[in-house]
């Protein structure tokens, strides 16, 4: 069907061009008749292929329970809603079907929805060549992120994963913690100013998204954007692209490129991509030239004279590490490949972490006892230090870790993982997911499955106490997915989350903002109209 789409797209362009080139003697009426006939033939062929494929998948997916549909043709089209009610519908689906069900988006897409650890485990642990990223949800990102680690498959994915893994080593991440402290300090200074001006009620998503973008720009490009205080074209373009991807996913007609790129939204997407790609491409090219002339940026130790002294040399950032990476054959990444990975790091690293931090602070604002306990442990950690800045060696206190995890459950890296099976796969109960079907691994559904998590909507940090977790499935809690395609940046994200949450609790008391919170599942879990909390400035505890 992709071939038919491509032919149809080319045909529309070709016929328009042909009409301009034909001799005036040629009958316009004949040309229009011919054009209509060819288009009708291709459309009819596409409809037949869709209906045939739909019938085949309907038959092969009978081993999975099928929720009621409007009718055979429409299926469940329009029932997956990105609203609070849509999440409540997922909760009901999980309670009703326990582990899995089939799902049909009209005759267009046939899915299997999975929301139990025993059912998602075989898929997530399968080789990347068997369970590949599906174009239904990820294809819309490709014009923005290119053939990056997130969107690649097979041997291309394996090579990229090997080349990128060293960039997330502990020794590299230690350097980023200073940046997390710095960006947090900027945000907190702004909060203190706003509270002093009487504006104590603030939207967490707005402030924290800018803070994580600030951190990422410094970690990725060594670039001080000052985005927490002033706007920039690059930052605006990233927000624009994220919004347009979400909008396109919800409009079935915009799933076809031939329609989308002719729409106003498609034109806006192209313009925003041009801004983001231009910025990244310029940085990559300039940094490669610097490496050729100045050598590798690094931070190494000079032990002459018996004392350790840091040479004043710029610490390598994400772009530097990608430029220096080599595979087993000595080949590195091209500028275009590095651009794709840097754009993906920016896309995947700011909204996901901002979502997790925001929901942590929201839940702690709702449960003052847990907030006070975490704050006491942070103050105890910093009691004998000359500075409030946290470092990599700072231990995670026993109350902080379990208090964070229930909040990361709804604020997952992504509410779902969508993959495409290149061969049949068996799951518990003898059920077979047929080759070519789309699997929707519901991280949200798994984290709210009452068979695994009693009272799943209750904030209970003690669920994650080691004693209470010992008999739980390893795939019951997967905020960063699992298996070979797990989130490569999860240690980066958790390090930033802990630093920001710890410093925030030390400096502010958070209470509810007085507005009903309605969840908004998009690329990450957000809140309708923002996630508003009230801030109260705290004085640093005295020794």
């Amino acid at each position: 069907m992709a071939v038919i789409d491509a032919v149809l797209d080319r045909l529309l362009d070709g016929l328009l061009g042909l009409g301009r080139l034909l001799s005036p003697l040629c009958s316009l009426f004949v040309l229009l008749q011919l054009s209509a006939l060819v288009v009708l033939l291709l459309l009819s062929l596409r409809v037949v292929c869709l209906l045939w494929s739909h019938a085949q998948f309907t038959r092969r997916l009978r081993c999975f329970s099928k929720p009621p549909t409007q009718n055979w043709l429409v299926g469940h089209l329009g029932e997956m809603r990105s609203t609070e009610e849509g999440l409540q519908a997922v909760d009901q689906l999980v309670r009703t079907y326990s582990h899995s069900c089939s799902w049909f988006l009209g005759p267009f897409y046939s899915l299997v929805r999975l929301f139990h650890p025993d059912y998602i485990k075989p898929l997530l642990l399968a080789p990347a060549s068997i369970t590949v990223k599906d174009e239904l949800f990820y294809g819309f990102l490709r014009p923005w992120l290119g053939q990056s680690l997130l969107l690649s498959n097979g041997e291309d994915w394996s090579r990229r994963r090997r080349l990128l893994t060293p960039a997330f080593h502990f020794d590299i991440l230690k350097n980023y913690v200073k940046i997390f402290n710095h960006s947090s300090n900027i945000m907190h200074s702004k909060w203190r100013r706003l509270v002093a001006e009487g504006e104590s009620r603030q939207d967490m998503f707005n402030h924290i998204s800018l803070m994580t973008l600030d951190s990422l720009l410094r970690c990725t490009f060594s670039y001080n954007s000052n985005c927490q205080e002033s706007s920039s074209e690059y930052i605006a373009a990233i927000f624009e692209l994220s919004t347009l991807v979400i909008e396109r996913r919800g409009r079935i007609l915009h799933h076809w490129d031939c329609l989308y790129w002719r729409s106003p939204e498609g034109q806006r997407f192209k313009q925003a991509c041009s801004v983001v790609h231009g910025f990244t491409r310029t940085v990559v090219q300039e940094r490669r030239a610097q490496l050729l002339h100045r050598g590798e940026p690094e931070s190494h130790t000079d032990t002459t004279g018996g004392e350790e002294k840091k040479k004043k040399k710029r610490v390598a950032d994400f772009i530097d590490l990608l430029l220096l990476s080599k595979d087993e054959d000595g080949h590195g990444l091209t500028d275009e490949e590095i651009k794709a990975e840097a754009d993906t790091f920016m896309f995947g690293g700011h909204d996901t972490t901002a979502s997790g931090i925001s929901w942590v602070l929201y839940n702690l604002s709702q449960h003052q006892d847990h907030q006070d306990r975490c704050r006491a442990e942070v103050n105890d950690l910093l009691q004998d230090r000359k500075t409030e800045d946290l470092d990599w060696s700072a231990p995670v206190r026993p109350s902080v870790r379990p208090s964070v995890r229930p909040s990361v459950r709804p604020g997952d890296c992504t509410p779902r993982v969508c993959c495409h099976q290149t061969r049949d796969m068996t799951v518990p109960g003898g059920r077979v997911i047929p080759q070519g079907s789309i699997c929707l691994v519901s991280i949200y559904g798994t984290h709210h499955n009452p068979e695994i998590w009693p009272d799943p909507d209750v904030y209970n940090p003690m669920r994650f106490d080691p004693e209470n977790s010992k008999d739980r499935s390893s795939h019951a809690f997967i905020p960063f997915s699992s298996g070979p395609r797990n989130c490569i940046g999860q240690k980066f994200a958790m390090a930033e989350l802990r630093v920001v949450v710890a410093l925030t609790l030390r400096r502010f008391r958070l209470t509810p903002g007085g507005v009903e919170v309605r969840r908004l599942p998009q690329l990450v879990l957000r809140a309708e109209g923002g996630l508003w909390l009230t801030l109260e400035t705290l004085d640093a505890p005295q020794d």
Side-chain angles (χ1 to χ4, degrees):
M1 284 187 285
V3 175
I4 298 175
D5 285 340
V7 171
L8 184 59
D9 192 22
R10 290 177 177 273
L11 180 65
L12 291 174
D13 290 332
L15 290 175
L16 291 174
L18 182 62
R20 292 190 293 267
L21 295 175
L22 285 174
S23 166
L25 299 177
C26 179
S27 170
L28 179 61
F29 181 70
V30 173
L31 175 62
L32 291 175
Q33 281 187 319
L34 178 62
S35 302
L37 182 62
V38 173
V39 170
L40 182 62
L41 179 63
L42 287 172
L43 289 175
S44 300
L45 183 60
R46 178 171 178 79
V47 170
V48 170
C49 290
L50 279 172
L51 293 176
W52 173 256
S53 176
H54 180 56
Q56 293 301 307
F57 276 112
T58 299
R59 178 180 60 82
R60 297 199 64 186
L61 292 176
R62 286 176 181 169
C63 55
F64 292 92
S65 299
K66 180 182 177 182
T69 62
Q70 301 176 50
N71 55 58
W72 175 83
L73 184 62
V74 174
H76 305 99
L77 194 63
E79 294 184 26
M80 295 178 70
R81 294 165 292 168
S82 295
T83 60
E84 173 68 32
E85 290 73 23
L87 286 179
Q88 293 174 5
V90 174
D91 293 336
Q92 182 59 47
L93 196 73
V94 173
R95 287 193 295 268
T96 303
Y97 298 101
S98 301
H99 48 73
S100 62
C101 66
S102 59
W103 197 263
F104 299 93
L105 302 180
F108 307 108
Y109 304 109
S110 302
L111 292 76
V112 178
R113 300 181 69 170
L114 306 165
F115 30 80
H116 191 283
D118 296 342
Y119 282 72
I120 65 177
K121 185 175 181 179
L123 274 75
L124 296 181
L125 295 184
S129 59
I130 295 176
T131 304
V132 301
K133 292 292 181 74
D134 190 82
E135 293 296 306
L136 169 59
F137 290 99
Y138 295 101
F140 302 150
L141 296 169
R142 199 173 299 282
W144 174 11
L145 306 181
Q147 195 67 12
S148 64
L149 181 69
L150 177 66
L151 303 179
S152 58
N153 292 296
E155 181 54 37
D156 185 32
W157 172 85
S158 298
R159 175 177 177 268
R160 288 173 182 268
R161 182 82 182 202
R162 292 194 300 270
L163 286 170
L164 264 65
T165 297
F168 294 93
H169 190 273
F170 288 115
D171 290 337
I172 301 298
L173 296 179
K174 289 177 183 177
N175 295 321
Y176 295 153
V177 175
K178 296 178 182 178
I179 295 175
F180 301 155
N181 280 278
H182 182 71
S183 296
S184 299
N185 292 340
I186 295 174
M187 180 177 71
H188 291 157
S189 295
K190 183 167 62 171
W191 285 3
R192 288 192 187 97
R193 185 176 71 248
L194 291 169
V195 170
E197 295 170 354
E199 299 180 34
S200 59
R201 185 171 161 272
Q202 294 294 324
D203 174 17
M204 293 295 100
F205 272 114
N206 179 42
H207 289 280
I208 296 173
S209 292
L210 289 173
M211 184 274 299
T212 54
L213 268 174
D214 186 20
S215 292
L216 276 173
L217 284 167
R218 296 171 190 270
C219 295
T220 307
F221 304 111
S222 297
Y223 178 67
N224 179 14
S225 66
N226 197 32
C227 66
Q228 296 198 64
E229 297 291 350
S230 60
S231 60
S232 75
E233 186 182 31
Y234 175 77
I235 300 299
I238 287 182
F239 285 135
E240 173 87 335
L241 289 170
S242 299
T243 300
L244 289 171
V245 167
I246 295 163
E247 291 178 353
R248 185 181 184 188
R249 189 180 66 182
R251 299 179 182 178
I252 196 71
L253 292 179
H254 280 180
H255 286 202
W256 284 277
D257 288 346
C258 59
L259 297 177
Y260 183 69
W261 298 123
R262 290 177 172 81
S263 69
E265 293 82 2
Q267 295 300 312
R268 285 164 51 202
F269 193 97
K270 286 183 178 180
Q271 178 61 33
C273 271
S274 177
V275 172
V276 171
H277 291 167
F279 175 85
T280 311
R281 185 178 294 109
T282 299
V283 173
V284 171
Q285 292 173 350
E286 289 178 352
R287 197 64 59 77
R288 190 181 289 278
Q290 290 174 8
L291 287 175
L292 291 175
H293 289 90
R294 303 179 188 175
E296 300 181 10
E298 58 186 356
S299 178
H300 60 280
T301 303
D302 181 5
T303 57
T304 57
E307 295 182 358
E308 293 189 350
K309 298 179 181 179
K310 286 286 185 179
K311 289 186 175 180
K312 292 183 179 180
K313 205 171 184 183
R314 183 173 59 82
V315 176
D317 58 23
F318 188 65
I319 290 292
D320 293 322
L321 296 169
L322 296 187
L323 285 166
L324 296 169
S325 62
K326 304 288 183 183
D327 60 20
E328 54 272 16
D329 298 322
H331 301 303
L333 294 165
T334 66
D335 285 1
E336 197 64 25
E337 290 172 328
I338 293 173
K339 178 181 72 66
E341 301 303 344
D343 288 338
T344 299
F345 191 39
M346 292 299 302
F347 158 74
H350 87 275
D351 242 8
T352 52
T353 311
S355 175
I357 294 171
S358 298
W359 287 110
V360 169
L361 299 180
Y362 168 78
N363 277 326
L364 290 176
S365 76
Q366 300 286 324
H367 301 86
Q368 291 295 318
D369 53 336
H370 291 296
Q371 183 180 155
D372 291 339
R373 192 176 300 117
C374 292
R375 180 179 295 110
E377 292 184 353
V378 172
N379 289 337
D380 181 59
L381 172 66
L382 297 174
Q383 183 176 4
D384 298 324
R385 293 173 179 249
K386 295 180 180 179
T387 174
E388 285 188 334
D389 285 356
L390 296 171
D391 55 42
W392 185 264
S393 61
V396 180
R397 294 296 182 170
S399 289
V400 175
R401 184 188 294 271
S403 295
V404 163
R405 288 192 171 190
S407 307
V408 179
R409 288 201 313 154
D412 306 312
C413 259
T414 176
R416 61 179 72 90
V417 175
C418 188
C419 51
H420 186 88
Q421 299 305 115
T422 60
R423 72 181 189 192
D424 290 357
M425 178 166 288
T426 303
V427 293
R431 298 175 178 84
V432 177
I433 302 174
Q435 175 183 346
S437 57
I438 300 172
C439 296
L440 199 62
V441 177
S442 177
I443 297 178
Y444 172 87
T446 303
H447 289 179
H448 290 76
N449 192 325
E451 286 194 2
I452 311 301
W453 307 94
D455 299 320
D457 295 323
V458 175
Y459 179 78
N460 179 15
M462 294 312 295
R463 299 180 196 273
F464 296 94
D465 182 87
E467 185 64 26
N468 297 330
S469 303
K470 62 182 181 181
D471 296 326
R472 192 176 296 140
S473 168
S474 60
H475 283 68
F477 181 67
I478 50 168
F480 298 101
S481 190
S482 178
R485 297 201 71 147
N486 66 349
C487 177
I488 194 172
Q490 57 184 290
K491 291 184 175 62
F492 178 98
M494 289 304 296
E496 182 172 20
L497 188 149
R498 289 168 183 153
V499 168
V500 176
V501 169
L503 292 179
T504 299
L505 294 180
R506 179 171 172 82
R507 297 165 178 171
F508 297 90
R509 177 174 297 281
L510 304 127
T511 54
V515 178
E516 178 190 5
V517 174
R518 289 174 51 84
R519 296 168 297 175
L520 183 65
Q522 297 183 331
L523 293 177
V524 296
L525 189 63
R526 304 179 70 88
E528 292 182 18
L531 193 60
W532 294 83
L533 298 181
T534 301
L535 303 169
E536 176 189 343
T537 305
L538 299 176
D539 295 328
Q542 301 298 316
D543 295 338

